[in-house]
Amino acid sequence: MDGVSLSSSHPLFKEIDKLTMEQLSYAKAGVEEGVWQLFADEGEMKMYKRDLEIDGMVCDPLKAVHSIKGVTAREYLHYFFDSSYKLDWDTTLDNMRVVEHLASDTAVIHQVHKRVWPAAQRESLFWSHFRKVNSYKDPDASDLYIVCNHDCERPDVALSNKACLRVGLTIAMVCQTVIKRPQSKVQFSELSREDIGCKIIYVAQVNPGGWAPNSVLRVVYKREYPKFLKRFTQYVEQKVKNKPIMF
Ligand code: 18C
């Protein structure tokens, strides 16, 4: 999947293009000491947060780095982007639907999340864009893909119920395939899953969109993000098992 399928004349193109590239450099910028606090450290998976309140609401940015074996960047992000898998792996969801397929690499998605007592139920409405950006890959990587998600407004998508609140979100997953055999000496078709790995960076900032007790929110945050990344990784590892490698 080279190039961008979404037409440059689409009304959302400029916003999608700008934000996707901004999130890519933000994700790749690393985690400066004294700025990011490590709160989950499980094997290769490390999660960092910063404290940030906007209008009294907790909007703590999250940055996670992970590294896995046997999966390519394209495969990992295929399962993250393709909405037909979301109900399999996203345990925060009550339901979801694709509002519009804007192009093969861009969709608008509406999700209704599980309610966390005593806060109101949340939903999210966002565009999701998948792009290959090899010119930004690390020297040891053979490719680089990003999925960027950001909240949007659609007059044709009403709140699923009056008590629901819509969250704001900017989320990006950046993945790079690393090949363990010298690339100059090997064809992709000769590689096995033992020869490949994937470096993952996930960045997220969610605005709760209305009242929720800050203490509950931070508990949900610290529980749900590690749960998500571990579960999603296991899901992808299971899905690609015994399938031909997709570069
Ligand atoms: O990136 C993820 N998923 C993608 C799915 O396609 C997409 C997600 C976008 C929406 C994220 C908004 C999440 C709101 C969650 C509401 C609470 C649900 C809790 C359910 C508990 C059973 O990019 C993976 C996303 C993983 C999300 C982890 C949870 C993050 C919590 C952040 C704070 C949420 C604020 C509002 C909740 C108020 C509750 C006190």
Side-chain angles (χ1 to χ4, degrees):
M1 54 162 298
D2 281 307
V4 179
S5 301
L6 181 66
S7 163
S8 57
S9 62
H10 190 279
L12 277 173
F13 181 86
K14 270 192 183 151
E15 175 184 305
I16 291 176
D17 190 50
K18 183 168 178 277
L19 207 69
T20 301
M21 298 316 286
E22 276 173 12
Q23 288 296 301
L24 175 61
S25 49
Y26 168 64
K28 291 197 80 212
V31 275
E32 313 90 314
E33 229 172 275
V35 178
W36 292 92
Q37 313 150 24
L38 181 71
F39 74 92
D41 186 357
E42 298 180 39
E44 292 294 323
M45 186 187 86
K46 301 201 175 352
M47 283 197 171
Y48 305 82
K49 61 168 288 197
R50 288 196 287 123
D51 288 340
L52 177 70
E53 289 187 20
I54 300 176
D55 299 330
M57 286 185 291
V58 170
C59 299
D60 297 352
L62 171 116
K63 195 176 266 204
V65 290
H66 199 8
S67 173
I68 61 170
K69 291 180 183 142
V71 177
T72 65
R74 182 162 179 204
E75 288 171 329
Y76 198 80
L77 286 183
H78 165 76
Y79 290 102
F80 184 65
F81 174 72
D82 190 325
S83 46
S84 59
Y85 305 111
K86 285 195 197 294
L87 285 168
D88 292 347
W89 59 262
D90 193 337
T91 58
T92 74
L93 292 181
D94 255 355
N95 58 64
M96 63 79 54
R97 74 181 175 97
V98 179
V99 175
E100 189 178 351
H101 284 287
L102 304 182
S104 60
D105 57 8
T106 314
V108 174
I109 293 163
H110 184 213
Q111 303 187 143
V112 180
H113 298 272
K114 288 179 183 147
R115 184 177 173 216
V116 181
W117 186 90
Q121 188 167 26
R122 260 58 182 184
E123 55 168 62
S124 49
L125 174 64
F126 57 98
W127 53 254
S128 183
H129 178 66
F130 190 2
R131 188 180 290 195
K132 185 178 189 178
V133 225
N134 268 7
S135 43
Y136 294 83
K137 70 184 176 61
D138 293 344
D140 66 337
S142 66
D143 58 20
L144 185 151
Y145 290 87
I146 179 170
V147 169
C148 183
N149 297 343
H150 182 64
D151 56 83
C152 60
E153 285 178 20
R154 292 276 304 216
D156 56 337
V157 184
L159 275 178
S160 46
N161 72 65
K162 278 187 189 152
C164 238
L165 291 175
R166 209 165 263 178
V167 299
L169 66 107
T170 306
I171 287 175
M173 183 92 85
V174 174
C175 293
Q176 306 185 74
T177 309
V178 180
I179 296 172
K180 292 170 199 159
R181 285 160 64 182
Q183 278 175 53
S184 53
K185 294 194 184 127
V186 73
Q187 305 273 338
F188 277 175
S189 56
E190 296 169 36
L191 296 170
S192 79
R193 293 210 172 267
E194 286 180 7
D195 299 318
I196 59 170
C198 182
K199 294 195 288 183
I200 300 154
I201 307 171
Y202 175 80
V203 287
Q205 189 171 347
V206 176
N207 183 314
W211 182 83
N214 284 355
S215 55
V216 176
L217 228 148
R218 285 199 162 112
V219 168
V220 171
Y221 183 110
K222 286 192 173 168
R223 185 187 67 211
E224 295 300 323
Y225 279 119
K227 183 177 162 187
F228 144 65
L229 202 57
K230 276 190 286 182
R231 183 182 161 89
F232 176 69
T233 299
Q234 280 168 5
Y235 178 74
V236 177
E237 286 169 342
Q238 202 57 39
K239 288 298 264 192
V240 300
K241 215 182 246 178
N242 306 321
K243 286 204 178 82
I245 303 173
M246 178 167 67
F247 285 99

